Amino acid sequence: MIYAAKWVLPVTGSPVEDGAVAVKENKICDVGKLEALTDKYPEAEVKDFGLAAIMPGFIDAHTHLEFSVFRGIVDDLPFSYWKIQLANKAKKLSDEDWQASADIGAMEAVKSGITTIADTSTEGYSLNSAKKYGLRGFIFAEVTGLNPADVSKIMSKTKKRVGDWQSKVSGTKLNIGISPYSTYTVSPPLYKAVNEYARENNLLLSTHVAGTKDEYEFVKYASGPLATKFKKIAGFDDVLWQPTGASPVKYLEQWDGFEGNVIAVHCVHVNAMDLDILAKYNVKVVHCPRVSAKLGMGIAPLKGLAQRKLKIGLGSDSPASNNTVDLFEEMRVGLYLQRGLNHTSEGFSAEEFIKMATIGGAEVLGLESEIGSLEPQKQADIIAIDLSRSYQIPTRDPYSAIVYGANQANVVFTMCGGQVLYDREHSFIDETQAKVEKARSKLRE
């Protein structure tokens, strides 16, 4: 099968005008000019998307699809109070509600051109959804516990959960990782235990780090709303938390938090010393610009991360925090914020943000040899983006048209591993919508 469009963006190579991608079974077998590929494969069927761009599927390197039902429910609050409201409302949902929530998130991801996710989950609802809708990626088993006395019990349950999930994803495009949630929900010895377990079992580890000023104050000074109100709601009120005198990054280093294969999500409140620590351990970073902006968390210093040659991917976080599973908006908002922060349009381009959303995310997840670019023998994770709208014409620079002018509604085709997950001409209809509305009615009460 040959897929053609006005533009083909291999990402690791120059854009191809009047280009095409040849696919056989689950892999890409050729990329080049349409005329050359039809001559080379005369028997192949051709699907031409016209004035569109074909590119690798987006890689959402950090998300919580299970919280999709909270879209617009807890808006316009600073991070800690948003987190508190979320925790309170989450208690109202049933297992069926959570599953429907994860399903609607997975559906949106597919329709938005996302083919790979890195999702953090407690009960595994997003695992079920990713399997159902054909997504690739990692499901990270979330670990929490602020009481040092509970480490052995928590690790025993975690190991069983990871084993069960690994059995469930056997034969799929999914992998299992582990996620000690954050510095304000995981005790120092538990962080150490999880990290040791991850290294011993070759598991990818993902954790939220230095996302907010409140987290910084919790770790360094044992103060702020995370140390008082949230700690109580999370069930850690009886746990004594002492000031560490260290930044979240330095604190995690002291407890071997960055040993092994580690992803640090957010990294907003970091200084030069923190950045050097991340570089020392070759930590991969996921940038989630919209949630950081919407919840008033701050702006991550991408320039400092890039200067230290750290691998950087993009994440949507969740519709609970920024309303949509949309890497177009992450690219656009992320680029704008960096230019505003650094008072210059130099340093980051539309092309560089597309790379963060594709090959950058693949590098973060250790999948760059399989996905993230359009190259022969890589997995056929391909999307097509309509560029025929009035606000996109004329289109001489496809990178510019996609980052500055496109959105999730412009995705017309999504393929993962040679399997068509979404085609706007034959869009799927799902019963999940009604279930989600039922769950949302509980959250409004």
Side-chain angles (χ1 to χ4, degrees):
M1 186 75 181
I2 294 175
Y3 297 93
K6 179 63 178 176
W7 294 101
V8 170
L9 275 61
V11 172
T12 50
S14 300
V16 181
E17 190 170 4
D18 299 319
V21 180
V23 173
K24 184 176 182 180
E25 296 178 351
N26 64 326
K27 291 189 175 181
I28 296 168
C29 55
D30 220 334
V31 180
K33 288 281 191 179
L34 173 59
E35 184 178 0
L37 264 59
T38 52
D39 287 344
K40 189 174 181 178
Y41 308 100
E43 302 299 319
E45 181 183 349
V46 177
K47 183 177 179 66
D48 195 333
F49 294 102
L51 184 49
I54 292 174
M55 62 175 283
F58 288 125
I59 297 172
D60 191 344
H62 179 69
T63 189
H64 301 267
L65 294 181
E66 293 168 2
F67 283 85
S68 298
V69 72
F70 288 88
R71 188 194 321 266
I73 294 292
V74 185
D75 273 339
D76 303 321
L77 290 174
F79 174 80
S80 293
Y81 293 95
W82 167 83
K83 190 76 178 170
I84 290 167
Q85 287 296 314
L86 205 66
N88 281 329
K89 290 181 178 294
K91 298 171 185 177
K92 299 179 180 181
L93 299 183
S94 66
D95 288 344
E96 183 182 28
D97 297 331
W98 283 112
Q99 189 59 67
S101 183
D103 282 354
I104 205 75
M107 287 172 59
E108 184 180 356
V110 166
K111 291 184 177 182
S112 300
I114 293 167
T115 53
T116 298
I117 61 170
D119 190 276
T120 301
S121 173
T122 303
E123 301 296 334
Y125 303 110
S126 55
L127 187 160
N128 300 332
S129 300
K131 285 178 63 176
K132 178 178 179 180
Y133 292 101
L135 288 162
R136 185 188 306 283
F138 281 83
I139 307 297
F140 291 93
E142 182 179 305
V143 182
T144 61
L146 209 52
N147 191 339
D150 294 336
V151 172
S152 178
K153 178 175 63 177
I154 291 171
M155 288 306 301
S156 178
K157 291 181 179 179
T158 297
K159 291 174 184 178
K160 182 180 185 307
R161 183 162 41 124
V162 169
D164 290 345
W165 288 10
Q166 286 175 328
S167 297
K168 286 185 178 181
V169 301
S170 178
T172 73
K173 298 188 285 284
L174 297 170
N175 302 283
I176 302 302
I178 195 163
S179 178
Y181 185 80
S182 68
T183 55
Y184 54 90
T185 61
V186 178
S187 70
L190 182 55
Y191 251 116
K192 191 177 182 71
V194 171
N195 187 283
E196 288 177 355
Y197 172 67
R199 281 182 282 143
E200 289 169 0
N201 292 274
N202 197 30
L203 294 175
L204 185 58
L205 185 151
S206 178
T207 187
H208 302 81
V209 182
T212 70
K213 183 180 178 182
D214 289 349
E215 179 189 350
Y216 189 93
E217 291 180 346
F218 174 88
V219 173
K220 191 167 187 176
Y221 305 116
S223 65
L226 290 177
T228 53
K229 295 181 180 180
F230 177 76
K231 191 161 160 279
K232 182 177 181 179
I233 289 172
F236 305 137
D237 198 36
D238 59 340
V239 178
L240 177 63
W241 180 261
Q242 299 278 22
T244 68
S247 71
V249 169
K250 182 62 180 175
Y251 159 75
L252 284 185
E253 183 193 29
Q254 293 169 344
W255 287 94
D256 298 334
F258 297 127
E259 297 285 350
N261 197 1
V262 176
I263 298 171
V265 180
H266 298 311
C267 296
V268 173
H269 292 267
V270 289
N271 57 28
M273 185 179 296
D274 293 329
L275 294 174
D276 289 341
I277 291 171
L278 296 174
K280 174 183 175 182
Y281 294 93
N282 194 28
V283 174
K284 289 80 173 175
V285 176
V286 180
H287 179 41
C288 305
R290 285 197 301 154
V291 62
S292 295
K294 186 182 177 188
L295 299 181
M297 295 160 62
I299 303 173
L302 280 195
K303 184 177 179 181
L305 294 166
Q307 286 174 338
R308 289 163 176 80
K309 302 190 183 306
L310 290 164
K311 293 179 173 64
I312 307 170
L314 289 181
S316 67
D317 208 303
S318 85
S321 57
N322 60 31
N323 297 70
T324 57
V325 183
D326 185 353
L327 287 197
F328 291 95
E329 287 294 327
E330 298 298 339
M331 292 189 293
R332 183 159 44 247
V333 171
L335 180 52
Y336 289 165
L337 288 175
Q338 290 302 311
R339 290 182 174 181
L341 175 68
N342 297 308
H343 305 285
T344 179
S345 60
E346 298 178 357
F348 291 101
S349 65
E351 180 178 354
E352 286 171 310
F353 265 81
I354 282 182
K355 287 181 177 179
M356 283 186 214
T358 53
I359 192 66
E363 290 173 343
V364 165
L365 299 177
L367 299 175
E368 66 271 25
S369 65
E370 302 176 45
I371 60 172
S373 60
L374 302 181
E375 300 178 62
Q377 297 310 307
K378 279 197 169 184
Q379 290 290 314
D381 289 11
I382 297 168
I383 63 173
I385 302 165
D386 181 13
L387 298 179
S388 66
R389 307 290 175 160
S390 60
Y391 50 81
Q392 298 165 318
I393 299 173
T395 304
R396 292 308 309 161
D397 181 350
Y399 287 116
S400 173
I402 291 170
V403 173
Y404 298 127
N407 57 60
Q408 61 186 159
N410 296 130
V411 174
V412 296
F413 180 83
T414 303
M415 169 183 280
C416 185
Q419 176 188 2
V420 178
L421 305 186
Y422 171 65
D423 186 335
R424 195 161 69 183
E425 293 180 358
H426 307 93
S427 182
F428 55 78
I429 298 174
D430 198 284
E431 74 282 357
T432 302
Q433 185 67 39
K435 295 179 181 178
V436 168
E437 286 303 323
K438 179 182 176 182
R440 283 176 65 83
S441 66
K442 297 179 182 179
L443 299 177
R444 295 191 189 99
E445 294 173 354

